[in-house]
Amino acid sequence: QLQLVESGGGLVQPGGSLRLSCATSGFTLDDYGVGWFRQAPGKEREGVACISSSGASTNYVDSVKGRFTISRDNAKNMVYLQMNSLKPEDTGVYYCAVEEVGGCPRRIQIQTFTYWGQGTQVTVSS
């Protein structure tokens, strides 16, 4: 059965770094594009980053450009989100999700992604 499990969240001080992992199983990962999303309390879920099935294309929301890097290791069925220079406004639950076309759209929209993990909490605070 198709499954995605996020890990790596936690509490970090402003300016710090975290690496989130998305472990996948039950499908051929290299057929799918992957996105990372986040949701703060009381806020709408937003797309943060995406990567195409081959890893050749990536897109980021403006607020994280230059700070976050999405990557994938298809041989390990893993996707990562490296987050540097973290800010309090980065706080939220982070989700990974996959889409079946294998692309990475310029606008990372929820409706494009079909299967979702359960999320991992990231808190940026002093």
Side-chain angles (χ1 to χ4, degrees):
Q1 186 177 6
L2 193 153
Q3 185 171 274
L4 301 94
V5 179
E6 301 94 336
S7 63
L11 176 64
V12 64
Q13 293 184 338
S17 297
L18 286 173
R19 189 178 78 158
L20 305 184
S21 298
C22 177
T24 71
S25 61
F27 63 102
T28 304
L29 180 61
D30 62 6
D31 289 339
Y32 292 79
V34 181
W36 283 97
F37 298 77
R38 67 187 179 191
Q39 188 166 22
K43 303 292 185 180
E44 192 170 289
R45 191 173 300 183
E46 67 169 345
V48 175
C50 68
I51 186 166
S52 62
S53 58
S54 69
S57 298
T58 59
N59 280 303
Y60 301 89
V61 67
D62 286 345
S63 60
V64 310
K65 287 180 179 176
R67 300 189 297 120
F68 290 12
T69 303
I70 188 171
S71 62
R72 65 192 297 159
D73 186 339
N74 289 337
K76 295 181 178 179
N77 296 320
M78 296 290 293
V79 183
Y80 306 97
L81 185 68
Q82 178 67 46
M83 306 187 296
N84 298 327
S85 301
L86 283 162
K87 304 174 180 180
E89 50 262 46
D90 295 318
T91 293
V93 179
Y94 282 69
Y95 302 86
C96 64
V98 300
E99 58 87 44
E100 298 180 78
V101 176
C104 179
R106 182 180 63 83
R107 290 190 64 187
I108 309 161
Q109 299 187 63
I110 292 171
Q111 61 187 311
T112 307
F113 294 80
T114 307
Y115 303 104
W116 295 77
Q118 67 180 20
T120 185
Q121 176 71 43
V122 172
T123 303
V124 185
S125 177
S126 298

